[in-house]
């Protein structure tokens, strides 16, 4: 387990450095059942459903949801995925990504994935600070989770906002499967 967390944490640190330090990703975790091919399976046939919790900016809900899914597009490792709040009829119901903006403290993937829609709300905005907790769920369990923050994002069109969502998306679907240990 420690090696899986270390891989995600190292990836998150590199991603934060690449953005000039504006985006900081933390609390990366991966379930032992996660496999890098899971995203392709989850998204084939109709896209991958995205559940968005919280409204950090004063814009119409549809505008904000579109900004989130647009910022996710093309940022995952692996196959091309259509991220959508209302995916096509062929979407696999057991899978979803939950993006919680300005999450409450103590939030974890198990809690978010347990109910659909999740029984959680985002907190009020903090001055000059935007938080994000993202989880890839399968049924009632989490596969991966990542937390991130950015300072200075002013709206859904701000490059800082798009970078926070994009980096979280990339970290949420790591290309490497579980580390397998040789047994004697």
């Amino acid at each position: 387990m420690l090696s899986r967390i270390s891989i995600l944490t190292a990836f998150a640190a590199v991603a934060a450095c690449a953005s000039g330090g504006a985006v900081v990703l933390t609390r990366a975790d991966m379930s032992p059942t996660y496999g890098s091919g899971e995203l392709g399976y989850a998204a084939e046939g109709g896209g991958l459903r995205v559940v968005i919790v919280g409204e950090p900016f004063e814009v119409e809900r549809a505008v904000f949801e579109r900004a989130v899914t647009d910022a996710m597009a093309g940022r995952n490792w692996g196959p091309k995925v259509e991220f959508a709040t209302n995916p096509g009829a062929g979407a696999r119901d057991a899978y979803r990504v939950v993006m919680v903006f300005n999450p409450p403290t103590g939030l974890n993937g198990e809690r978010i994935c347990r109910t659909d829609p999740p029984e959680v709300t985002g907190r009020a905005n903090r001055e000059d600070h935007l938080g994000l907790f993202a989880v890839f769920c399968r049924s009632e369990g989490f596969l991966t989770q990542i937390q991130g923050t950015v300072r200075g994002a002013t709206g859904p069109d701000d490059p800082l906002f798009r970078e926070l969502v994009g980096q979280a998306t990339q970290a949420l679907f790591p290309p490497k499967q579980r580390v397998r240990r040789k047994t004697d």
Side-chain angles (χ1 to χ4, degrees):
M1 179 83 161
L2 182 59
S3 59
R4 288 185 293 269
I5 294 170
S6 298
I7 291 168
L8 279 174
T9 303
F11 176 77
V14 169
C17 291
S19 71
V23 173
V24 177
L25 299 179
T26 59
R27 267 190 76 200
D29 195 13
M30 179 189 322
S31 165
T33 63
Y34 174 78
S36 60
E38 191 121 24
L39 176 60
Y41 175 77
E44 74 182 8
L48 183 58
R49 183 166 60 103
V50 178
V51 178
I52 300 169
V53 178
E55 297 185 32
F57 307 112
E58 294 182 18
V59 297
E60 290 181 29
R61 184 65 180 180
V63 169
F64 182 63
E65 289 177 351
R66 183 64 182 189
V68 171
T69 55
D70 284 354
M72 294 174 76
R75 294 299 298 263
N76 61 285
W77 296 97
K80 183 177 179 177
V81 174
E82 179 188 349
F83 296 102
T85 55
N86 294 302
R92 297 188 189 277
D93 292 337
Y95 292 92
R96 65 196 175 284
V97 172
V98 180
M99 306 284 258
V100 182
F101 289 90
N102 292 329
T105 56
L107 194 58
N108 63 56
E110 291 295 331
R111 179 176 166 203
I112 291 174
C113 296
R114 196 174 311 137
T115 58
D116 187 14
E119 295 176 352
V120 64
T121 58
R123 296 180 303 186
N125 283 349
R126 293 192 290 170
E127 191 173 309
D128 197 37
H129 177 267
L130 176 63
L132 171 62
F133 192 83
V135 181
F136 180 33
C137 300
R138 178 181 359 131
S139 298
E140 295 180 4
F142 89 96
L143 293 169
T144 59
Q145 62 184 8
I146 186 80
Q147 187 162 351
T149 60
V150 67
R151 294 194 179 282
T154 58
D157 293 329
D158 190 317
L160 291 172
F161 171 78
R162 290 192 305 269
E163 192 60 21
L164 171 64
V165 173
Q167 284 189 29
T169 301
Q170 193 171 42
L172 201 56
F173 305 105
K176 194 164 187 118
Q177 287 186 302
R178 298 189 317 260
V179 175
R180 295 184 185 194
R181 297 203 168 119
K182 182 180 174 183
T183 57
D184 293 338

